[in-house]
Amino acid sequence: MSWRALRHPSFAVGLVLSLLVLFAAALSFVWTPHDPYEIDMALKLRPPDAHYWLGTDAFGRDVASLLLVGARASIAVGIIAVGIGLAIGTALGLLASARRGWVEEAIMRLSDFGFAFPAILSAIMLTAVFGPGMVNAIIAIGIYNIPTFARITRASANAVWGREFVLAARACGKGGFAITMEHVLPNILSVLIVQATIRFAIAILAEAALSYLGLGTQPPQPSWGRMLSEAQTLLFQAPLLGVFPGVAIAVAVLGLNLLGDGLRDIYDPRLARKR
């Protein structure tokens, strides 16, 4: 499967782009061209040169260093928020599929209610109560992911519950929990992995949007979304200030989307037979 995956164009390109973003975040922990928190107004809006590869912003900070460190926030928010949605949503979806009846109906109706509160709206409500910050952004995006994972898990699990090997396990006296953990969950993991990859891309976009609005990552922690927000008033003076963080967001989202599409094609047995 690994060699077939590397030969898949979407998977290969998505993997390279995603690893590039991960490498940038990891590199920022040990090295950056300059101190991303150092402010020097004498160097503000300096164009790219040999010393400042991507120039400086309105506060004289090195843009390349800000981009490297900003990758941390996007990846951290994405991993934790998707992890929250994956853990809680999968558990609810498995419970709904295993119990059926009023339990399934209650969980699905709660999922419908959750869809009424997108990440940005949830973040605005949390900000009104607790104030802006990365933690509230993570909670808001995580809550937004729960209904999606619950519905996908329930639909995929329902299909597995009707399979012959599950019926055989029930005939042997296995309980619902044992069947869920030993037979149902392993058979839907591929679907969850693909969905988690795609939701990761959406979480990065949501974090950037929230930071752009001032509801996400707060100063002095660098954030791609806030870099875009700060650059919008300087587009005529230094247009590249808006280009660099925009490209960073586009690369991260494109890479994860291509990776998710590639994984979906690889894990789909009908597509696998065609390759």
Side-chain angles (χ1 to χ4, degrees):
M1 179 237 175
S2 58
W3 288 109
R4 180 162 55 86
L6 293 177
R7 290 196 300 267
H8 191 287
S10 293
F11 179 87
V13 175
L15 180 63
V16 170
L17 294 179
S18 300
L19 289 177
L20 180 63
V21 176
L22 288 174
F23 175 75
L27 180 64
S28 69
F29 284 102
V30 295
W31 176 85
T32 54
H34 299 275
D35 184 354
Y37 304 102
E38 181 181 356
I39 295 177
D40 189 346
M41 297 303 293
L43 298 173
K44 70 176 183 177
L45 302 182
R46 184 170 176 172
D49 56 30
H51 192 59
Y52 293 96
W53 301 340
L54 302 181
T56 60
D57 67 359
F59 299 98
R61 299 173 297 183
D62 179 50
V63 174
S65 301
L66 291 173
L67 286 176
L68 290 175
V69 179
R72 297 184 203 168
S74 296
I75 292 176
V77 171
I79 290 176
I80 300 174
V82 172
I84 292 172
L86 179 63
I88 300 177
T90 300
L92 292 174
L94 290 173
L95 177 62
S97 180
R99 296 299 298 272
R100 299 295 181 90
W102 68 268
V103 174
E104 180 181 27
E105 187 67 19
I107 291 175
M108 290 302 99
R109 297 295 74 77
L110 284 174
S111 297
D112 292 339
F113 180 76
F115 280 122
F117 296 92
I120 294 180
L121 179 59
S122 299
I124 292 174
M125 292 189 297
L126 288 173
T127 299
V129 179
F130 302 107
M134 181 186 291
V135 174
N136 291 336
I138 290 173
I139 294 174
I141 299 171
I143 292 174
Y144 175 67
N145 282 324
I146 291 174
T148 300
F149 281 106
R151 282 193 166 277
I152 290 174
T153 301
R154 174 246 188 184
S156 302
N158 281 348
V160 175
W161 273 99
R163 302 285 296 275
E164 291 80 2
F165 59 86
V166 173
L167 297 176
R170 297 180 69 176
C172 291
K174 282 191 176 182
F177 181 78
I179 293 175
T180 297
M181 301 306 296
E182 296 175 15
H183 300 287
V184 177
L185 183 58
N187 280 280
I188 66 172
L189 273 180
S190 60
V191 177
L192 296 177
I193 291 172
V194 172
Q195 187 61 32
T197 305
I198 296 173
R199 302 306 297 184
F200 197 164
I202 295 175
I204 289 178
L205 269 179
E207 188 280 330
L210 292 173
S211 296
Y212 180 86
L213 296 173
L215 305 177
T217 306
Q218 298 297 299
Q221 179 64 35
S223 168
W224 292 343
R226 199 174 64 256
M227 290 176 69
L228 280 175
S229 177
E230 293 171 353
Q232 68 177 349
T233 58
L234 301 168
L235 289 180
F236 293 103
Q237 296 174 262
L240 291 179
L241 286 180
V243 171
F244 294 132
V247 169
I249 295 171
V251 168
V253 173
L254 177 63
L256 288 167
N257 278 327
L258 289 175
L259 187 62
D261 288 342
L263 287 172
R264 182 181 56 195
D265 293 346
I266 292 165
Y267 282 126
D268 191 326
R270 294 168 298 180
L271 295 176
R273 286 194 294 268
K274 296 178 182 179
R275 295 184 177 274

